[in-house]
Amino acid sequence: MAKKQAKKQANKKAVTQDFSKYISWFWKLFLGGVLAIILVFLLASWGVFGALPDHTILENPKTNLATEIISSDGKTLGKFYFNDNRTPVSYDELPKHLVDALIATEDARFHEHSGIDARGTLRAFVYLGSKGGASTISQQLSRQLFVGVASTNTLSRITQKIKEWIIATKLERQYTKEEIIAQYFNIYDFGNNGDGIRSASRIYFGKEPMELDIKESAMLVGMFKNSSLYNPRPERNPIGVKNRRNVVLAQMEKYGYIDETVKDSLQKLDLGLRYSPESHREGTATYFREYLRAFMKDWTKDKANRKPDGTAYNINSDGLKVYTTIDSRMQLYAEDAVNRHMPRLQAEFFHQNTPDRNPTAPFLDLTKGGIDSLMQKAMSRGERWRIMKKAGKSEKEIRASFYKPTKMSVFAWKEGKASEIDTIMKPIDSMRYYKHFLHTGMMSMNPQTGHVKAWVGGVSYKHFQYDHVNQSKRQVGSTFKPFVYATAIDQLHLSPCDVLPNSQITIEANKYGNPEPWTPRNDNNEYGGTRTLKNALANSVNTITARLMDKVGPQPVVDLVKKLGIESEVLAVPSIALGTPDVSVYEMVGAYSAFANQGVYTKPVMVTHIEDKNGTILYQFTPESRDVLGEEAAYVTVNLMEGVTQSGSGGRLRGKGRDKWRADYREVITGYPYEFTNPIAGKTGTTQNQSDGWFMGMVPNLVTGVWVGAEDRAAHFASITYGQGAAMALPIWGMYMKSCYENEELEISQGEFERPKNLSIEVDCDDYKQKQDSDSDGPDEDVPEELDF
C-alpha cells in the first residue's frame, strides 16, 4: 500500500514537472516571438529590408502636382500635367459626409488607434482575412506614398506590411488625423485622369469636393476598393459601381452616420454621373490654355524665375497656380456663341459646295493644277508626313500612304455640336474634307485694364490646333479703315460731319512708294455726290478712305498702328487703307481698345500672378500702357464707328427685321435680331472674294474682335450675301454680348463712351450744320460744306 502511494506521488511529480516544461517553453517561445518581432521592426526601421522615408520626406512627401489655371472669378479653367492630374485640397474643403463615408468603409476605429488597429489585426490573423482586412487609413496612405504595390512574393509581402506599420505610426506622430484624411483623398488615383479627390469630383460630377452630396461621396469612396474595377463610365462598370456605392451607404448607416430611411432612399437612386473628362484637348478655353502653356514654358526658362535650390519649375508637376484674367462665365458665353453660329454658317457653306454647285469644292477661282499644287503643299506640311519621315520612310512611300483607305475619326458638326464621325477614308480625301471647314478666332478684353476676358481660337482644339487668335494672321479688310480715319482726325482736326466727294481718286505711281497708280473702287461701283465721314465709314466707302489716305500719307498711319501694338508687317503704301495687311485678332483687339480708352494703348494681359504650391507669389504682372492718340481724336473715331451700328454695315445689331439667310437656314443666327439699344461702336470687314469676315465691336468697358474664314483663302463664299463680315462674324459678337448683358454681375457697360471735357470737334451733325450755315455768307445748304482736299 505504501509502495503504491509512493508510486502515485512520483507519477504526480513527474506530470507536474512535465507541465512546467511546457509552460517554460511557452514563455520562451512567446518572449522569443516578441523579441523577434521587435527585432524585425528594428531591422526594418534601420533599413535592412529597404530604405524608409526619413522625417524630412515624411514632412514633405513627394507627389506630382498639376499646375492649375484659375480664372478671374476663381474657377479652374484647366491644368497642366504629365501623368498626375492632381490638385490638392485641405481637410476644410472636404464635406463631412465624404469623410464619414471613408471612415465607415475603410477604418471605423480611425480616431481610436495610432496607425495600427490592434483589434483589426488580431481578427485578420485569427480569421485569415475572411472577415475583413486590417489596413488602417494611415497604413493605406503609407502604402500609396512610400511602399508601393504589394508584391506577390510572400516574404516580400510580409516585409512590405511591416514597412506599412512603421510608416503608419510615423505618419500618426507627424500629422493630425485631419491631415492624414486629406492626404489620403489627395493621393488616390480614381481613374480617367482623376488623380485625387478634386480631379475626381470635377471629372465624374462637374463639382468641387465641397459640393458633393452623400450618394456622390459614397460612390467615390467605394472606388477606393479598386478604381480600375469600379469604373463608373457607361462602357465600363456602372452596375458594379452602384452596388459598391450601396455597400458604402450601408456602412454609413451601420456606424450611425445616416439613418436607415436615408440609406434606403439613396440606394435606389442612379449614380447621377456627369462625366466630363479633363484633358489637354478638351474642356474650357482650350486654345487659351495652350497659349498659356507656351507662356509658362518661357517663364520657367528665365533664370530669374527659379526655385530656392536654383532648379527650374516644372509646369507639369510642381503644383503652380496661374491666376489669369479670363472670366469663366464670359469664356463660356464666347464658346457658346461660336458653337451656335458656326454649325449653321457651315451648313450654308456645305450647301454652296456640293459637287453639282461647285465641282472644285471647296475652292473657287483655282484650276485643277492650282488645287493639286495646294494639296501637295498641305500634304508635305502635315502631321502624317512628319511622323512617317521621322520613321525613316521614303518620300514615295509617304505619298503612297495618302491614297490608301484608312480607318479614322473626323470632325463634324452634329446637331449643332462639335463631334466626330468614325469612317474609312483616304488621308488625301480627309485633307480635302477638312479644307471645307470654316474657322473662327475671337478675343474680348477690358480696354482700361487690358485684361483679356475671353479667348476662342477655333471651333475644336482637338481637331484644329491652330490658334486663330494669336497664331493666325489674316487680311483685315475694312476693319483697318478706322486707323486711317483716326490719323486724319488727329492731323487735320476733322469732324464726323465733314463732307468729301464720293468720286474715284487716283494716287499716282511713286507718290508714296507705290509702283503703279492706285485707283480704288467702291464695292457697289456707285459714285457721285458727297458723304459725311460718319456716313462713309458706316457704309465702308472706299473712295472716301482713299482720299483721307492721300491727304495724310501711309507712313503716319503705319506709325499709328505700330504704336497701337500691331507688330505684323504693315507696308507704308496707300492700299493699306482698304485693309491689305495680315494681322491677328489679338493685335486688332489690342489696337481698337485704345480708342475706347481715351487714346491710351494698354497691352493685353492674360496672367495677373503666379503662385507656388504653398501660396508664395512668384510672379506679379506689371501693366504696360502708353499714350497713342489724343482724347479728342480717340473719341471722334469712336463716334464715327458708332455710325456703323446705327445705320451702316453693323445695323442689324439694332434691327427688328428678319435675317437674310435662305429659308432652309432661317435659324442660322439664333436670337437674331439682337435689338441692342445701347451705344455700340464697331466696324465690319470683308476681304476680297469673301475670304475673311471680321467684326470689331466696342462698348465702353469691353472690346471684342471676331474673325471667320476657311484655312485656305481659295475656299470662300461665292457672294457677299453670306461672305461679308456682317454675316460671318458679327452674329458671334451679337450672341456673346447678349449673354454678357443678361448676367448683370459682369457689369458690362450699356452707357455712353466717355466724352472729353473740352471737346473742340463737333460730333453732332445738326449742330455742325447750324454752325456752318451761320459762318457762311452763301445760301442755306442741305449738307455741310465739302472739304477742299
Side-chain angles (χ1 to χ4, degrees), residues 271-306:
L271 294 176
L273 203 69
R274 292 185 293 279
Y275 180 67
S276 52
E278 288 190 343
S279 72
H280 302 308
R281 294 188 176 188
E282 297 173 298
T284 305
T286 45
Y287 289 92
F288 172 75
R289 280 154 43 195
E290 199 56 29
Y291 161 82
L292 197 60
R293 183 190 298 277
F295 172 89
M296 289 300 296
K297 284 182 177 179
D298 288 341
W299 180 83
T300 59
K301 289 176 183 177
D302 190 333
K303 291 183 179 180
N305 305 320
R306 293 294 176 104

Side-chain angles (χ1 to χ4, degrees), residues 470 473 483 558-568 570 583-592 594 600-604 626 628:
N470 193 44
K473 296 185 179 185
F483 304 133
V558 173
D559 293 340
L560 174 64
V561 298
K562 292 302 179 184
K563 291 177 184 177
L564 290 171
I566 293 179
E567 297 179 355
S568 299
V570 181
V583 184
S584 70
V585 171
Y586 172 90
E587 292 171 302
M588 289 296 287
V589 172
Y592 266 66
V600 179
Y601 169 76
T602 301
K603 187 175 181 179
R626 56 179 174 265
V628 175

Side-chain angles (χ1 to χ4, degrees), residues 676-749:
F676 291 114
T677 58
N678 57 290
I680 298 171
K683 187 69 191 81
T684 57
T686 307
T687 60
Q688 190 175 20
N689 296 332
Q690 302 79 239
S691 296
D692 303 273
W694 289 79
F695 184 72
M696 303 296 300
M698 302 189 294
V699 296
N701 65 351
L702 194 66
V703 177
T704 304
V706 184
W707 165 86
V708 174
E711 177 184 336
D712 295 282
R713 300 183 194 202
H716 56 80
F717 281 104
S719 73
I720 200 73
T721 303
Y722 303 103
Q724 60 179 302
M728 294 170 73
L730 179 144
I732 293 175
W733 190 93
M735 286 186 280
Y736 167 67
M737 289 300 293
K738 285 197 77 170
S739 297
C740 287
Y741 279 132
E742 287 170 2
N743 188 338
E744 294 181 0
E745 292 181 1
L746 297 176
E747 298 182 344
I748 305 301
S749 173

Side-chain angles (χ1 to χ4, degrees), residues 184-412:
Y184 187 69
F185 274 114
N186 285 327
I187 197 65
Y188 192 72
D189 178 3
F190 289 87
N192 301 307
N193 280 336
D195 300 298
I197 188 65
R198 185 153 186 245
S199 293
S201 300
R202 289 167 56 84
I203 289 170
Y204 294 122
F205 298 109
K207 296 181 176 182
E208 293 297 318
M210 187 56 81
E211 300 169 334
L212 294 170
D213 61 30
I214 296 175
K215 66 179 175 60
E216 293 166 345
S217 295
M219 190 205 88
L220 293 172
V221 167
M223 294 177 70
F224 279 119
K225 188 174 181 67
N226 186 331
S227 61
S228 179
L229 174 63
Y230 295 105
N231 189 321
R233 290 173 61 183
E235 67 272 20
R236 298 295 294 276
N237 188 16
I239 295 175
V241 172
K242 182 178 179 180
N243 292 337
R244 179 63 187 162
R245 179 204 67 182
N246 290 346
V247 169
V248 174
L249 291 170
Q251 288 294 104
M252 293 180 74
E253 189 266 333
K254 175 181 176 181
Y255 290 103
Y257 293 113
I258 58 175
D259 60 35
E260 186 176 5
T261 303
V262 172
K263 180 206 74 173
D264 290 342
S265 63
L266 291 178
Q267 285 182 335
K268 295 175 184 178
L269 298 176
D270 292 331
L271 294 176
L273 203 69
R274 292 185 293 279
Y275 180 67
S276 52
E278 288 190 343
S279 72
H280 302 308
R281 294 188 176 188
E282 297 173 298
T284 305
T286 45
Y287 289 92
F288 172 75
R289 280 154 43 195
E290 199 56 29
Y291 161 82
L292 197 60
R293 183 190 298 277
F295 172 89
M296 289 300 296
K297 284 182 177 179
D298 288 341
W299 180 83
T300 59
K301 289 176 183 177
D302 190 333
K303 291 183 179 180
N305 305 320
R306 293 294 176 104
K307 297 180 187 178
D309 63 5
T311 60
Y313 283 98
N314 187 318
I315 65 171
N316 295 316
S317 61
D318 281 334
L320 301 176
K321 291 184 183 295
V322 184
Y323 291 86
T324 72
T325 60
I326 297 292
D327 186 291
S328 68
R329 298 159 295 184
M330 296 173 74
Q331 180 67 32
L332 288 174
Y333 298 154
E335 292 180 3
D336 180 63
V338 167
N339 290 333
R340 287 163 64 191
H341 176 64
M342 292 304 291
R344 304 294 186 177
L345 186 67
Q346 187 67 56
E348 176 61 37
F349 194 65
F350 278 141
H351 174 78
Q352 293 190 18
N353 281 286
T354 55
D356 57 320
R357 294 184 179 90
N358 180 14
T360 60
F363 308 111
L364 292 170
D365 313 318
L366 280 184
T367 63
K368 183 180 183 305
I371 294 172
D372 289 342
S373 175
L374 186 151
M375 294 302 295
Q376 291 299 318
K377 288 179 181 178
M379 184 189 298
S380 62
R381 292 195 300 263
E383 186 73 4
R384 170 181 287 269
W385 185 286
R386 187 187 65 79
I387 292 173
M388 294 185 72
K389 190 75 174 177
K390 190 175 180 180
K393 301 293 184 181
S394 68
E395 186 172 315
K396 183 178 180 181
E397 289 176 304
I398 297 173
R399 290 188 183 280
S401 74
F402 278 85
Y403 295 89
K404 295 178 181 178
T406 305
K407 287 184 179 180
M408 61 179 71
S409 294
V410 296
F411 174 80

Side-chain angles (χ1 to χ4, degrees), residues 384 406-410 421-427 430 434:
R384 170 181 287 269
T406 305
K407 287 184 179 180
M408 61 179 71
S409 294
V410 296
I421 296 175
D422 292 329
T423 185
I424 298 176
M425 191 182 293
K426 295 176 183 176
S430 73
Y434 275 122

